[in-house]
Amino acid sequence: MNPVLKVIYERKSIRAYENRDIPEGIKDEIIKAAMKAPTAGNMMLYSIIEVTNQSIKDTLAKTCDNQPFIAKAPLVLLFLADYQRWYDYFINSEVTELCKRMNIKMRRPQEGDLFLACSDVSIAAQNAVIAAESFGVGSCYIGDIMENYEIHRELFDLPQYVFPIVLLCFGYPTKQQREREQTRRFDKQFIVFKDKYRRLNKEEFNNMHKDLEERVFKSNNFLPGAQNIGQHFFLRKFNADFSKELNRSVREILQNWLHR
Ligand SMILES: Cc1cc2nc3c(=O)[nH]c(=O)nc-3n(C[C@H](O)[C@H](O)[C@H](O)COP(=O)(O)O)c2cc1C
């Protein structure tokens, strides 16, 4: 098989790591690959912090919805959407003067700038994941880094226009993780459309979730009260405490980004 596709198809999230460091040369390649990702306007609207301090890792293991494996990951990279660097550069480049001279209103980063930076940083992060995988280094995204914004802002000295989008944990997979089955994906017919968006009907939803529903049902893993996968996911994800905290935290950053 094409070696690039092999890496992509065989990857899975790795949440338990062997107790060995990732060599500096491999770390460098992972970061280099991230920085080689496509980036809007070639502006690199992101920053990356390598978290090396064990006490910060320990904190993150708690503030990111209590996921202890974060503290044990040999390499932890924080990917930040970053408009601060460009905004500071504009100020340093006397753009305010330019605006006065040209009678243009100077503006601050807004919603669209944030979304663009979020795309940038996610694409860079995924390049890091694939590069790591190509060296046999496993990884796992931690979306919960968007929670507890106030704590993370202080922990990493984040200025107004810098927001954590993903945390990535890296390490060599344990044997159990290497042998673990991959997760499955929904069938293409439910995900990929031609020309126009199409909302799914009840029958299609039933087909889409049939496989998963049977497996969860068989293993008796439905959450109390849930009678199908939709209800199970609603309780487990959408309405879970972490999800409420995520939305509160992101609301706070948006207010911070837009109004202060
Ligand atoms: C944006 C994003 C956030 C995620 N956050 C977490 C997380 O906080 N904890 C975790 O264990 N896995 C997290 N994951 C990993 C997903 O659970 C995983 O990708 C999914 O279950 C599919 O499994 P696979 O990666 O093994 O194919 C996240 C993945 C993405 C893309």
Side-chain angles (χ1 to χ4, degrees), residues 71-89:
K72 296 184 186 151
L75 173 62
V76 176
L77 296 180
L78 174 61
F79 284 77
L80 303 153
D82 183 356
Y83 234 104
Q84 192 71 53
R85 186 170 42 237
W86 273 96
Y87 188 69
D88 288 349
Y89 182 51

Side-chain angles (χ1 to χ4, degrees), residues 11-13 15 67 69 140-144 166 183 185:
R11 184 212 58 84
K12 56 192 169 191
S13 292
R15 300 179 178 89
Q67 303 192 75
F69 72 88
C140 187
Y141 279 91
I142 306 292
D144 298 282
V166 287
T183 55
R185 295 293 188 265

Side-chain angles (χ1 to χ4, degrees), residues 7-257:
V7 169
I8 292 173
Y9 293 163
E10 290 182 1
R11 184 212 58 84
K12 56 192 169 191
S13 292
I14 297 298
R15 300 179 178 89
Y17 312 103
E18 282 182 357
N19 189 14
R20 66 175 160 126
D21 285 338
I22 299 169
E24 286 301 318
I26 293 183
K27 271 194 213 175
D28 287 348
E29 297 292 354
I30 291 171
I31 289 173
K32 187 173 163 190
M35 292 174 59
K36 270 285 192 183
T39 157
N42 204 10
M43 289 172 85
M44 301 182 77
L45 301 170
Y46 59 85
S47 292
I48 302 169
I49 296 179
E50 181 183 351
V51 183
T52 57
N53 183 316
Q54 187 57 45
S55 83
I56 300 182
K57 287 189 191 180
D58 292 341
T59 301
L60 291 172
K62 293 196 188 102
T63 58
C64 296
D65 198 32
N66 297 307
Q67 303 192 75
F69 72 88
I70 298 170
K72 296 184 186 151
L75 173 62
V76 176
L77 296 180
L78 174 61
F79 284 77
L80 303 153
D82 183 356
Y83 234 104
Q84 192 71 53
R85 186 170 42 237
W86 273 96
Y87 188 69
D88 288 349
Y89 182 51
F90 290 150
I91 299 297
N92 273 279
S93 310
E94 298 175 358
V95 165
T96 322
E97 296 305 307
L98 168 93
C99 288
K100 272 189 204 144
R101 223 173 41 242
M102 297 188 68
N103 204 18
I104 302 168
K105 196 168 180 290
M106 175 61 174
R107 73 169 183 88
R108 289 175 158 266
Q110 295 168 15
E111 298 93 329
D113 305 308
L114 174 61
F115 272 59
L116 205 60
C118 291
S119 297
D120 243 38
V121 71
S122 305
I123 293 162
Q126 184 58 12
N127 257 25
V129 163
I130 296 302
E133 189 73 23
S134 75
F135 288 108
V137 174
S139 63
C140 187
Y141 279 91
I142 306 292
D144 298 282
I145 191 66
M146 283 191 267
E147 293 157 35
N148 292 307
Y149 169 57
E150 298 85 344
I151 299 174
H152 297 148
R153 177 174 58 188
E154 200 173 316
L155 197 60
F156 296 107
D157 281 342
L158 306 180
Q160 183 175 8
Y161 298 119
V162 174
F163 182 56
I165 301 297
V166 287
L167 189 73
L168 272 175
C169 297
F170 295 90
Y172 291 99
T174 58
K175 183 168 180 291
Q176 178 273 336
Q177 290 279 298
R178 275 198 307 274
E179 289 171 357
R180 184 173 57 80
E181 222 189 292
Q182 278 189 307
T183 55
R184 299 178 204 188
R185 295 293 188 265
F186 298 123
D187 197 276
K188 185 177 157 188
Q189 62 177 305
F190 306 119
I191 306 293
V192 183
F193 308 127
K194 280 222 163 74
D195 296 327
K196 282 197 193 300
Y197 186 83
R198 199 170 62 72
R199 289 177 78 172
L200 305 183
N201 60 36
K202 192 161 183 169
E203 194 189 339
E204 287 172 309
F205 280 127
N206 287 341
N207 285 336
M208 179 173 169
H209 292 284
K210 198 165 171 275
D211 189 41
L212 184 61
E213 197 152 71
E214 274 169 12
R215 273 183 293 129
V216 178
F217 190 71
K218 243 190 234 156
S219 57
N220 213 4
N221 269 343
F222 274 135
L223 284 180
Q227 292 171 338
N228 57 42
I229 282 291
Q231 295 179 7
H232 176 80
F233 265 85
F234 174 82
L235 293 174
R236 195 168 148 212
K237 299 281 179 190
F238 198 66
N239 204 44
D241 286 346
F242 83 83
S243 192
K244 291 176 187 161
E245 167 53 24
L246 173 79
N247 282 294
R248 185 210 63 79
S249 180
V250 171
R251 211 170 293 129
E252 179 66 25
I253 157 72
L254 280 172
Q255 275 173 10
N256 193 40
W257 185 285

